[in-house]
Amino acid sequence: MKHLLSIADLSREEAISVLDTAMHMAKASDTPMKKLPTLRGRTIVNLFAEDSTRTRISFEAAAKRLSADVINFSAKGSSVSKGESLKDTAQTLQAMGADAVIIRHGASGAPARLADCQWMSGAVINAGDGTHEHPSQALLDAFTIRKHLGQGREDLQGIRIAIVGDVLHSRVARSNVLLLTKLGAHVTLVAPPTLLPVGVESWPVSVAYDFDAVLESVDVVMMLRVQLERMSELFFPNAREYSRYFGLNSARLKKLHPGAIVMHPGPMNRGLEITAESADSARSVIIEQVTNGVSVRMAILYLLLAGDTSIEAGA
Ligand code: NCD
């Protein structure tokens, strides 16, 4: 595997190998030493052209735990995806000797563009591009689900997952649908029709409009942030209506079966898609998702840069 651009590039086996490697990384991170010497002398650039808290610091922590040198390059604005300026950026990264570039960008396809150009030879990791994909988030979500509900299995066979809310604008939802179904889970998208993408009928998922009707039959409720910054028109009447029909609250939590877990990729709009009580409830694994994110990103960096050929993706 040379790059991580999309979950679509990963086979089921490769995805499982990332999750298994992340488990070893989590064990290593649990020791007092924390740091592994694996990527000593390698340079990793964090190129974030869009806001991020969790993903950026998570990749930085992961790279540092593997002893790599990390350069944070926050190119706010849109210059990275525009022809010549992408070339300039790539050449700059190459000149800095970047072994890997972790890129977040507002334009879908920007990481693929960087991976395809001839000006840079390092690995490219997609840390979220527009509304397209966010593969490392899906991998950390799958890792978290497997840890809680996997019962020792290597995949997520038969686990029922509801992904709820602003699917239309969510790269997290797209990557998760691809990955969770690849691993054998049943995914139901729950959203108002206005927040479902065109062509959703061809996705390998069920679609429901009534949140209450699916609560009793799922093992995981994955809430999505309402991405107000990507909304140029009105997608729902008002915030109260949205919360009433698609928000997770205490009454809905009570309908879940005893082992079910609640997830959210963050950042949360508390009071809109999720109430504070739900976010902080005993069923919530939201903070744990952040912890697991570091182990999963260590695994991604390790597999891409330490040259493990067992997960050759041909990319
Ligand atoms: C997500 C993102 O940026 O795509 N956040 C994250 O990486 N944890 C989800 C979101 O912004 O809603």
Side-chain angles (χ1 to χ4, degrees):
M1 184 163 77
K2 168 98 180 9
H3 307 293
L4 180 64
L5 303 174
S6 161
I7 292 294
D9 299 335
L10 287 181
S11 68
R12 176 185 174 279
E13 287 63 37
E14 285 163 346
I16 288 171
S17 140
V18 175
L19 304 187
D20 290 344
T21 307
M23 229 161 61
H24 296 301
M25 294 298 176
K27 283 201 191 107
S29 297
D30 233 6
T31 62
M33 282 296 287
K34 270 200 166 85
K35 257 181 135 144
L36 299 171
T38 325
L39 297 183
R40 194 179 287 154
R42 313 296 283 274
T43 299
I44 295 175
V45 176
N46 246 340
L47 173 63
F48 277 66
E50 209 188 55
D51 294 342
S52 171
T53 308
R54 272 153 283 265
T55 307
R56 188 175 55 75
I57 61 176
S58 180
F59 267 115
E60 183 171 351
K64 286 182 169 161
R65 282 202 199 155
L66 293 171
S67 306
D69 295 321
V70 183
I71 299 172
N72 283 311
F73 178 162
S74 92
K76 194 144 174 58
S78 62
S79 55
V80 177
S81 71
K82 290 183 185 167
E84 276 299 292
S85 50
L86 174 73
K87 178 176 175 181
D88 286 343
T89 308
Q91 283 177 331
T92 306
L93 299 172
Q94 182 72 17
M96 288 193 292
D99 295 291
V101 178
I102 297 155
I103 173 172
R104 165 165 292 193
H105 200 282
S108 300
R113 191 86 209 274
L114 200 58
D116 287 343
C117 77
Q118 319 87 313
W119 309 297
M120 206 198 70
S121 57
V124 177
I125 299 170
N126 180 2
D129 60 332
T131 57
H132 175 230
E133 276 221 43
H134 193 349
S136 65
Q137 179 71 42
L139 286 159
L140 79 88
D141 289 337
F143 180 88
T144 306
I145 296 169
R146 188 174 83 163
K147 209 167 147 191
H148 282 269
L149 304 165
Q151 297 178 314
R153 281 192 310 264
E154 62 172 12
D155 63 10
L156 305 178
Q157 197 62 47
I159 296 177
R160 298 156 303 172
I161 299 160
I163 302 182
V164 186
D166 186 0
V167 179
L168 179 64
H169 300 106
S170 178
R171 53 199 177 202
V172 173
R174 281 176 185 72
S175 288
N176 261 308
V177 165
L178 288 172
L179 182 62
L180 300 176
T181 54
K182 206 181 280 265
L183 296 176
H186 297 294
V187 175
T188 303
L189 302 178
V190 184
T194 48
L195 289 177
L196 284 169
V198 174
V200 75
E201 316 76 54
S202 63
W203 293 17
V205 297
S206 313
V207 173
Y209 304 107
D210 183 353
F211 192 8
D212 292 291
V214 304
L215 284 166
E216 283 166 26
S217 60
V218 293
D219 307 302
V220 178
V221 178
M222 184 184 289
M223 302 306 298
L224 298 174
R225 183 173 66 88
V226 176
Q227 305 209 0
L228 296 165
E229 79 280 17
R230 296 192 208 273
M231 293 185 189
S232 50
E233 48 188 296
L234 206 58
F235 286 91
F236 48 86
N238 57 53
R240 251 182 64 184
E241 283 279 284
Y242 183 87
S243 305
R244 174 166 343 141
Y245 291 105
F246 297 98
L248 188 62
N249 53 33
S250 306
R252 293 201 165 110
L253 270 190
K254 288 201 190 90
K255 293 191 183 165
L256 291 170
H257 75 73
I261 57 171
V262 169
M263 305 177 75
H264 192 304
M268 290 182 271
N269 292 311
R270 285 177 185 249
L272 182 53
E273 71 266 4
I274 189 164
T275 60
E277 310 84 74
S278 310
D280 303 331
S281 79
R283 291 178 182 286
S284 164
V285 297
I286 296 169
I287 297 295
E288 202 196 307
Q289 285 173 265
V290 180
T291 307
N292 293 341
V294 178
S295 309
V296 168
R297 288 172 175 124
M298 285 172 79
I300 292 167
L301 292 172
Y302 172 81
L303 292 169
L304 286 178
L305 295 179
D308 186 327
T309 47
S310 67
I311 65 151
E312 206 67 57

